[in-house]
Amino acid sequence: MNDDCFNRAPGAGRSRHFPADPGLGVSTGNVEPKAPLFNQREPLRQPRTSPPFPENNTNSADAMVAGDFKRLQPSASYANSTSTSRGFNEVDSLVQSSKLSASAAEFVPSGIMQYEDPPLYDENTSYYDEQTLAETVADFLAHLSSSPGSFESDVEQITAMLNSWVTTEELLNELVELIYTQSTAIPNFSYTGARLCNYLSHHLTISPPSGNFRQLLLKRCQNEFLQRDAAVRGDPETQKKFHSYVLFLGELYLSLEIKSAKGPPNRATILLCALKDLMISLFSKPVDANLICAVKLLKLTGSVLDDTWKESGQQHMEELIRRIENILLDATCSRDVRQMLLKLVELRSSDWGRVRAAAAASKATPDNDPNYFMNEPTFYTEDGTPFTAADPDYAEKYQEILDRQDYFNDPDGENGSEFDLYDTEDEMEPEIEEAYETFCLEAEKKRKQ
């Protein structure tokens, strides 16, 4: 019996010719009637989406996520029915084991790194565990050094952070050492460092039995003070570190305020005595570096020290000036340093360059106020001579100016206007008039040419 009688599949016996795809390498010739069923058509493609299957094959899903699943590509091998069957079997097995779902929120291809938002700050976790105290102090001191103008706006936040962190005596000692070291090591930071020390001395809450922030800071400064005689005779590097300490102590004396029971806060008296002894040590070894440091310190604090010692009836500033005068006579310092010392002596003789307050405006006279005529305007006479209110003939000359203004600006017109003066024929000499007419004629001729 013919095999065609048993071909009971729907559409059996009908020949369907599909245009051959050149890319598949399939011949475009006549098709034999006994050819296999899928011999003349493209292989079925993988469905774009697959129905969900039970997620019981973990290995297959992992392999697909890792990129091992590869999409089947059309090729000439599909012309053979055996290879085609095998390919569909593989597709079916992969589809059944897949974890992909058409209802997924998004599709992320394998091999692409997914970005995850960093976790938000957890209040239960301390932020300061990520940095040490030394690193944090170094960071905000470097910030204040580069932006000293932000001190007022940042110091409150810095202090709040330190209050939440420095909770033990050991951490307080570490903080004092860090601020002292940075204040004497960073160039030109002694002023800002002293301001920070003053603020922390009033707003840092911790106060262990060994002392609060200010007391521990003064103890640290005392340790350096006790080594002053050896430091001024040490090597250049030792002297440099000592000079930084001296200038920081001067700034600390000007900035550090100690509250009093009555009245305004006072400066630390212990620092006042220390500065005097430090300058004596610097003058005891009158080399250029020590003398330059002493000059800088006196320019910085000289007026305040002088006033404080005068109020208490002490003559310490006179003693320091005598030492400087003796150094100018005997020491073999360089010419530039000698000139600096001379300028310092002159500065002190002029009351440190200060101008005392002038008398009140209501009581000021040329005799009691040297600035009485400072802001007075300058006037000029008819011939161009300048004069001010300090001129003995001021009243007479000023009245002449007023008379002249009244003559030219007469509201009644009795004296005529300024233009009437120049329009009168009597104001022009005959020679001048003739010359003017000649000029006008020559100008007219040139204009017509």
Side-chain angles (χ1 to χ4, degrees):
M1 184 180 291
N2 194 331
D3 293 338
D4 291 341
C5 297
F6 293 97
N7 193 350
R8 309 294 295 174
R14 303 172 186 174
S15 62
R16 301 180 62 187
H17 297 278
F18 293 91
D21 189 346
L24 299 176
V26 180
S27 173
T28 59
N30 295 328
V31 181
E32 295 294 333
K34 298 298 183 180
L37 181 61
F38 295 105
N39 202 27
Q40 298 296 325
R41 48 193 307 192
E42 289 183 0
L44 293 179
R45 292 176 298 177
Q46 179 191 359
R48 294 183 180 272
T49 57
S50 303
F53 291 95
E55 300 180 0
N56 54 2
N57 194 335
T58 306
N59 296 332
S60 299
D62 294 340
M64 183 183 63
V65 173
D68 291 338
F69 171 74
K70 296 184 179 179
R71 192 174 180 178
L72 294 177
Q73 299 295 334
S75 64
S77 61
Y78 289 106
N80 187 287
S81 60
T82 306
S83 59
T84 303
S85 305
R86 188 187 311 116
F88 284 118
N89 292 333
E90 294 177 357
V91 171
D92 291 339
S93 62
L94 288 173
V95 168
Q96 292 177 4
S97 62
S98 173
K99 288 188 176 182
L100 295 177
S101 174
S103 59
E106 62 180 349
F107 172 71
V108 180
S110 61
I112 295 181
M113 298 295 294
Q114 296 191 37
Y115 173 77
E116 295 183 0
D117 292 332
L120 297 176
Y121 174 72
D122 186 4
E123 295 181 356
N124 297 325
T125 303
S126 176
Y127 167 77
Y128 306 115
D129 293 340
E130 300 177 5
Q131 274 190 313
T132 64
L133 178 63
E135 292 172 341
T136 304
V137 171
D139 285 346
F140 71 70
L141 290 183
H143 166 68
L144 293 178
S145 177
S146 60
S147 304
S150 64
F151 179 86
E152 296 292 343
S153 59
D154 294 343
V155 68
E156 185 176 352
Q157 180 181 357
I158 291 172
T159 306
M161 179 269 294
L162 291 177
N163 274 326
S164 63
W165 194 339
V166 181
T167 56
T168 64
E169 181 178 349
E170 182 181 0
L171 288 175
L172 180 61
N173 279 285
E174 182 182 357
L175 176 63
V176 170
E177 182 64 29
L178 288 170
I179 293 179
Y180 169 82
T181 302
Q182 295 294 327
S183 299
T184 56
I186 300 177
N188 303 321
F189 187 67
S190 55
Y191 168 71
T192 305
R195 293 180 66 194
L196 178 62
C197 289
N198 177 63
Y199 192 90
L200 293 179
S201 68
H202 295 290
H203 296 88
L204 208 60
T205 55
I206 182 173
S207 181
S210 59
N212 55 25
F213 178 85
R214 185 186 72 249
Q215 293 168 336
L216 294 178
L217 177 65
L218 293 177
K219 288 180 182 179
R220 179 62 183 86
C221 293
Q222 185 181 16
N223 294 338
E224 201 74 21
F225 173 80
L226 297 176
Q227 304 174 17
R228 64 188 184 280
D229 292 331
V232 297
R233 292 169 172 77
D235 57 84
E237 187 63 28
T238 302
Q239 289 184 3
K240 183 178 179 180
K241 291 177 60 178
F242 177 71
H243 298 156
S244 297
Y245 156 75
V246 170
L247 296 178
F248 170 68
L249 207 66
E251 294 284 6
L252 193 62
Y253 173 70
L254 297 178
S255 299
L256 190 61
E257 297 176 340
I258 299 178
K259 294 181 180 180
S260 60
K262 298 180 180 180
N266 301 318
R267 291 190 172 95
T269 306
I270 188 172
L271 294 180
L272 177 67
C273 301
L275 291 176
K276 176 181 71 70
D277 293 338
L278 287 172
M279 282 185 281
I280 292 175
S281 297
L282 291 170
F283 290 140
S284 67
K285 184 65 175 177
V287 296
D288 285 358
N290 289 336
L291 294 177
I292 291 174
C293 178
V295 169
K296 289 181 178 179
L297 181 61
L298 283 174
K299 283 185 176 181
L300 175 66
T301 62
S303 60
V304 178
L305 297 179
D306 203 356
D307 293 343
T308 306
W309 285 330
K310 285 180 180 179
E311 290 175 1
S312 59
Q314 297 173 331
Q315 303 295 320
H316 296 317
M317 185 58 69
E318 282 73 11
E319 295 177 5
L320 294 175
I321 296 299
R322 281 197 295 269
R323 286 177 179 270
I324 293 175
E325 292 172 347
N326 293 333
I327 290 173
L328 289 171
L329 294 175
D330 302 332
T332 57
C333 56
S334 66
R335 184 179 61 180
D336 293 340
V337 174
R338 186 182 298 273
Q339 190 68 20
M340 291 175 63
L341 294 173
L342 287 173
K343 292 292 184 181
L344 181 66
V345 174
E346 294 177 5
L347 183 64
R348 197 261 176 173
S349 63
S350 65
D351 195 19
W352 304 100
R354 293 178 292 186
V355 177
R356 296 299 180 179
S362 59
K363 301 179 181 179
T365 64
D367 297 329
N368 65 10
D369 187 358
N371 301 325
Y372 185 81
F373 298 112
M374 178 176 292
N375 296 323
E376 293 291 334
T378 300
F379 301 96
Y380 294 88
T381 61
E382 188 176 2
D383 59 356
T385 304
F387 69 96
T388 63
D391 195 298
D393 300 329
Y394 167 76
E396 180 181 353
K397 293 179 180 178
Y398 188 69
Q399 186 61 43
E400 291 179 1
I401 293 177
L402 294 178
D403 294 341
R404 211 163 49 243
Q405 289 178 347
D406 290 341
Y407 181 81
F408 287 113
N409 301 308
D410 187 4
D412 298 331
E414 297 178 357
N415 298 323
S417 66
E418 183 180 358
F419 299 102
D420 293 338
L421 294 175
Y422 290 103
D423 289 341
T424 57
E425 295 180 355
D426 295 337
E427 293 297 326
M428 187 177 291
E429 298 293 334
E431 294 84 359
I432 298 176
E433 184 177 0
E434 182 179 358
Y436 178 72
E437 291 177 354
T438 303
F439 168 76
C440 291
L441 291 173
E442 291 178 356
E444 184 68 19
K445 289 179 182 179
K446 289 182 180 180
R447 187 178 63 81
K448 292 180 178 180
Q449 289 178 358

